[in-house]
Amino acid sequence: MLDLSAVYITCPIHCQPITSRHASVLPKSPGSRSNDDTTPQAIRSPCFCRLTHSPHRPGASARASSGQGLALARCHRPPEPQLAWPARREGPRSGDRRGRAVPCARMDAMPISDGLPTNVTAQLHNVSRPKASSTVVCYSPMMITTNGIWQGINPLEFSLPLFILQTAIVVVTTRFLVLVLRPFRQPRVIAEILAGVLLGPSVMGQIETWATMVFPQRSLLTLETVAHLGLLYFLFLVGLEMDIDVIRRSGKKALFVAIAGMALPFCMGIATSFIFRHQVSRNVHQTSFLLFLGVALSVTAFPVLARILAEIKLLSTELGRIAMSAAIVNDMCAWILLALAISISEVNSSAISSLWVLLSGVLFVLFCFYAVRPAMWWLIRRTPEGEGISDMEVTLILTGVMLAGVCTDAIGIHSVFGAFVYGLVIPTGTLGVVLIEKIEDFVTGLLLPLFFAISGLRTNIRRISDPVTVGLLVLVFVMASFAKIMGTIIIAALYTMPFREGIALGFLMNTRGLVEMIVLNIGRDKEVLDDESFAVMVLVSVAMTTLVTPVVTGVYRPSRRLVGYKRRNLQRIRHDSELRMLACVHITRNVPSVLSLLELSNPSKRSPIFIYALHLVELTGRASNMLAAAAASASKQSRSGTGSSLPPVTEHIFNAFENYERHTGGVSIQTLAAVSPYQTMHEDVSVLAEDKHVSLIVVPFHKQQTVDGGMEPINPHVRGFNESLLSASPCSVAILVDRGLSAAAARLATEHHVALFFFGGPDDREALAYAWRMVETPGVTLTIVRFLPPDYRGRSVSASTYRPPVGSDARAITISTEGKSELEMDEDYLNDFRSRNHGNGAISYSTRTVANSEETVAAIRSMDTNLHELYIVGRRPGEAGSPMTAALEDWMENPELGPIGDMLVSSDFSMKVSVLVVQQYVVAGAPAPVPAPASGSDPVRQYVGNANQRPASGSYRPTATAANSRWSGSGGAVGY
């Protein structure tokens, strides 16, 4: 049998009339006549072509009723005598003397069967199966680069400048729409799809200059090839994001949600489409149309869903975990259905060929799971601990993506299926994160928008002409979406989930995106969907995904249990009772200083400390962020049982805290991760602190110490996060400035010296409360330095005359704040502290009388710089406008530290001592502190009872509404 793929034939092509505009771009060979005649006249020119029929044709209609297929024919110069027939040589030859081919204009060709021998016509039908009236479009390879505009040449007539311009336009348009839609909290996929529609024939394509110069037909093959390469690697990334073990860990609830959310819309979509099949599938093969439509209606876009959940801060909630697990199961089933649909969608294929496609696809999947996956595990095991994957290994793995795509494309399934399965079998650990970080930004930021641009260029809204067909397609889509929501609500009701959560989960499962676009594009390439159906499905998918975020945020209101709790600051709890702390870390360097601070906080069985170690990860839309939150939300047992799937930084942070918990008594640590933009990260921390009834939040300073002792910023966004948290926190906040506290020598020392600078006010009292807890730690000595103005007249209460109230616990703090000024509360709290620690040699107390800020700085400088390793200060010391700190406030570089804290960490201050700046959560208008339990009562039961006492509305509010708010000591209760 003759192989036409290697045979050149002569196809007599009737070119369109060439006007002066067309003729100006045609290079003239020296021997050709000048073609200055601008009168339209047909030029019959032979074109030696290699017929390569392809279903992936740019911009052609796919209506079977018109009988128009498309064969891409690459034009060449006539080769040496092969199978060719004489052709008329009329008109100028298309080519210059260097043999370069000329970009073809749009040509109307004769039917390819005309003028050809019968055996060749039969070969054409056997090889590529074009219809009898097929149109041959001559695709001429364009010249790559230009000689420059100064030679009178248009750069857009060459392939490389045109492709670069198209890519830049697509990326810029996409990013602009992302910024426009960001206030509406829409996922990026909406902006990408709309950018494609905007650049396509629906909007900009109506401008003739735009359509012929920027996105001409001859350039779409190059653009679509690069776009599908980007799609190939993006589906590889999607497979890497998915954890196969999540199916086993998700439980029956997520599994049933996935099954109900896929089976019901699939059946409903097929049933509704079958009823109206004569209206909605008039021009295509009906069985294939129903199958592709069912798959498109039942899928859930896992990558889009993950980013929506992170944006609306549901990624770490129970609802978010169920939705993520169900979406993973749904996505995997969707790819199986898509492979099935592709294998049987070939109208002209026989049943045996479809069976071979299915069997080959199953063998490919089995090969990936039982050959490729063990090879990846072997690669991970042979990599030394602490070392990364080599560049050569990464290159080989990424090359495997293309090989997997070639295999599935050769099988008869789309190439993206092979890339997805290949990514799915790679273990989601260090190897997966390294691969994601290597290629994610380039693929998602530059290549993937090209695929949506191609989809938009195929979406022509002007083709939507039949209102009956459009209405019925919209009805089918709405019915399928309704079926998915109802199926999810039924499963939620069976598992006693609230009705609002069921509705929110149903809308989340209706998230559309890239997977559906792939299904629709493949269906259009297979001539299963016509232009009208394709455009309608794209538009309704965008509309449905747009509704997800506002509906979920409006419907789902998570129940807040125990919103009111009274242990919001350290002053209101006993110094030896249970302490709940939230320790926030951004990078691994923050961990040692936080652990050193915990070591000084007297963790013991008598006064246990419960720590919530929170790794703060910036949400950037990267898949590695999603992996951090999804893996961190799993329990320790599930993470350790299936191998770590955490990103390296998060894993190191979690391991450090968990190792500290194992080797230290009296400490219980729960590791968490929060993925959020820095602009709203303080909201996540505040909600978590309130849910966990935390008394103190510890955050690192936004600068770290350098080798020479200076301070350099880590991340400029951390400073804004600290300031926002100080103004919105539901409990007390401490900012830790590490200047040697995390050093090994300091951590291994048997004696630790801490100094407290006390000027007065609620923040200084809170600092004293924390220092009171520290002094209970063996080996810790505390120096309290009180700064007083020269005219101070204070009340002195001697330790011998102090008597605790009758019937109260001698360890409890029962200072009444009702009707007292700040100065009186300072005296009461200090006297109470001194009386209870009378005779404790680890505590030293001194006073310094200072009249202005200069004397304050001099007094602090006079202290021994080598004696102390930690200074504890309040953020707002003394009264507002006090002469002791007034001048320091005018020169603050870091207002979040207050005047004293800012001075201690300034570059011109010689002391290199770590600083802990404390801000107290003040109870506005509160009664006396929580009464202490009677002697012999259960403190745990008393704590639970206190936590369940809900205060009156508005009785608690943060200490400040802005970063620089001040307290007023003129009245009794403190109000801000």
Side-chain angles (χ1 to χ4, degrees), residues 149-411:
I149 58 175
W150 307 115
Q151 308 241 355
I153 300 176
N154 185 2
L156 299 184
E157 294 295 338
F158 296 80
S159 59
L160 184 60
L162 182 59
F163 173 74
I164 294 174
L165 178 64
Q166 290 171 339
T167 304
I169 291 175
V170 170
V171 173
V172 170
T173 305
T174 301
R175 290 298 174 181
F176 174 74
L177 291 179
V178 167
L179 293 177
V180 171
L181 297 177
R182 179 172 294 173
F184 304 99
R185 307 179 76 175
Q186 294 298 324
R188 192 174 69 181
V189 66
I190 298 296
E192 290 171 335
I193 296 176
L194 291 180
V197 175
L198 182 65
L199 297 175
S202 301
V203 183
M204 297 297 296
Q206 298 300 314
I207 305 175
E208 183 179 359
T209 304
W210 177 274
T212 57
M213 296 293 293
V214 182
F215 286 97
Q217 285 291 108
R218 67 178 187 273
S219 68
L220 296 187
L221 188 60
T222 302
L223 190 64
E224 189 169 3
T225 302
V226 179
H228 276 81
L229 181 64
L231 183 64
L232 200 72
Y233 277 99
F234 182 78
L235 265 297
F236 169 71
L237 293 176
V238 172
L240 280 177
E241 290 184 50
M242 293 186 180
D243 187 3
I244 301 177
D245 297 324
V246 79
I247 300 178
R248 182 171 54 83
R249 295 198 306 257
S250 58
K252 295 182 178 179
K253 185 189 297 186
L255 188 61
F256 287 151
V257 168
I259 294 174
M262 191 161 193
L264 290 181
F266 185 82
C267 298
M268 180 67 74
I270 289 182
T272 312
S273 302
F274 181 76
I275 295 174
F276 304 109
R277 62 187 182 278
H278 297 296
Q279 287 79 21
V280 298
S281 58
R282 290 174 298 182
N283 303 321
V284 296
H285 190 266
Q286 293 181 359
T287 304
S288 301
F289 174 81
L290 296 179
L291 191 57
F292 267 89
L293 193 63
V295 175
L297 293 174
S298 58
V299 297
T300 299
F302 164 75
V304 182
L305 177 63
R307 284 150 181 82
I308 289 178
L309 290 173
E311 179 69 25
I312 60 181
K313 303 185 185 306
L314 295 179
L315 196 60
S316 58
T317 63
E318 181 66 19
L319 178 67
R321 285 191 288 269
I322 295 174
M324 287 279 285
S325 302
I328 291 177
V329 178
N330 187 299
D331 241 15
M332 293 181 181
C333 296
W335 283 108
I336 296 173
L337 286 177
L338 179 59
L340 179 65
I342 293 174
S343 64
I344 66 176
S345 64
E346 291 292 344
V347 178
N348 298 320
S349 64
S350 61
I352 189 65
S353 61
S354 298
L355 180 61
W356 278 116
V357 170
L358 284 177
L359 292 178
S360 302
V362 171
L363 289 176
F364 173 79
V365 173
L366 293 177
F367 175 80
C368 288
F369 274 92
Y370 292 101
V372 178
R373 187 173 177 87
M376 296 299 170
W377 277 116
W378 173 81
L379 180 63
I380 293 173
R381 285 192 296 268
R382 70 181 293 268
T383 302
E385 184 70 23
E387 294 186 10
I389 308 297
S390 67
D391 292 341
M392 185 188 70
E393 293 168 342
V394 171
T395 304
L396 291 177
I397 294 174
L398 295 180
T399 305
V401 178
M402 294 181 281
L403 294 178
V406 169
C407 290
T408 51
D409 202 74
I411 288 171

Side-chain angles (χ1 to χ4, degrees), residues 2 4 7-10 51 83-85 112-113 115-127:
L2 185 63
L4 276 192
V7 173
Y8 292 88
I9 65 173
T10 304
L51 290 179
L83 182 60
W85 296 271
I112 61 174
S113 58
L116 296 180
T118 305
N119 60 338
V120 177
T121 306
Q123 295 289 339
L124 289 175
H125 282 280
N126 290 333
V127 175

Side-chain angles (χ1 to χ4, degrees), residues 386-660:
E387 294 186 10
I389 308 297
S390 67
D391 292 341
M392 185 188 70
E393 293 168 342
V394 171
T395 304
L396 291 177
I397 294 174
L398 295 180
T399 305
V401 178
M402 294 181 281
L403 294 178
V406 169
C407 290
T408 51
D409 202 74
I411 288 171
I413 310 175
H414 201 279
S415 57
V416 296
F417 179 78
F420 172 76
V421 175
Y422 183 76
L424 194 64
V425 300
I426 295 180
T428 56
T430 305
L431 178 60
V433 173
V434 168
L435 294 174
I436 289 175
E437 292 179 348
K438 289 281 186 182
I439 64 174
E440 184 180 17
D441 290 335
F442 179 72
V443 171
T444 60
L446 196 63
L447 298 183
L448 188 63
L450 299 181
F451 173 75
F452 290 103
I454 289 293
S455 301
L457 292 173
R458 293 179 167 190
T459 305
N460 192 351
I461 301 178
R462 299 174 67 88
R463 295 289 182 91
I464 303 176
S465 57
D466 188 357
V468 176
T469 303
V470 173
L472 291 177
L473 281 174
V474 173
L475 176 63
V476 170
F477 188 91
V478 171
M479 291 295 294
S481 301
F482 178 75
K484 179 171 284 195
I485 295 174
M486 290 304 300
T488 307
I489 291 176
I490 292 172
I491 299 299
L494 293 177
Y495 282 92
T496 65
M497 292 176 62
F499 180 72
R500 286 179 174 268
E501 289 190 15
I503 296 179
L505 187 58
F507 271 90
L508 287 172
M509 297 303 293
N510 267 303
T511 302
R512 316 285 174 170
L514 180 68
V515 180
E516 185 174 14
M517 295 299 298
I518 294 173
V519 174
L520 295 177
N521 275 279
I522 293 176
R524 190 179 184 281
D525 289 336
K526 297 287 185 181
E527 300 184 7
V528 173
L529 299 175
D530 58 5
D531 289 349
E532 190 173 32
S533 301
F534 180 83
V536 172
M537 293 299 295
V538 169
L539 294 180
V540 294
S541 299
V542 171
M544 185 67 221
T545 307
T546 305
L547 290 176
V548 171
T549 300
V551 170
V552 172
T553 53
V555 170
Y556 179 66
R557 297 183 179 90
S559 57
R560 302 290 301 280
R561 297 173 295 173
L562 306 177
V563 173
Y565 67 100
K566 299 184 178 181
R567 303 163 66 92
R568 293 176 180 261
N569 58 45
L570 301 178
Q571 188 182 351
R572 295 179 60 82
I573 62 176
R574 299 194 307 271
H575 62 276
D576 57 355
S577 63
E578 180 193 56
L579 174 62
R580 287 176 170 259
M581 292 176 57
L582 177 60
C584 301
V585 294
H586 299 276
I587 56 177
T588 53
R589 187 167 177 176
N590 301 144
V591 177
S593 58
V594 173
L595 294 180
S596 298
L597 183 65
L598 296 180
E599 192 67 30
L600 297 176
S601 302
N602 189 30
S604 63
K605 294 183 178 180
R606 181 184 176 186
S607 58
I609 301 180
F610 199 95
I611 306 297
Y612 297 95
L614 183 64
H615 180 208
L616 301 176
V617 183
E618 183 182 9
L619 176 64
T620 59
R622 295 173 61 97
S624 52
N625 299 143
M626 307 300 117
L627 289 175
S633 62
S635 62
K636 295 180 184 178
Q637 291 78 12
S638 62
R639 291 202 306 265
S640 60
T642 59
S644 177
S645 58
L646 294 170
V649 175
T650 306
E651 184 179 4
H652 292 163
I653 291 173
F654 284 9
N655 289 339
F657 280 103
E658 291 168 1
N659 290 333
Y660 178 79

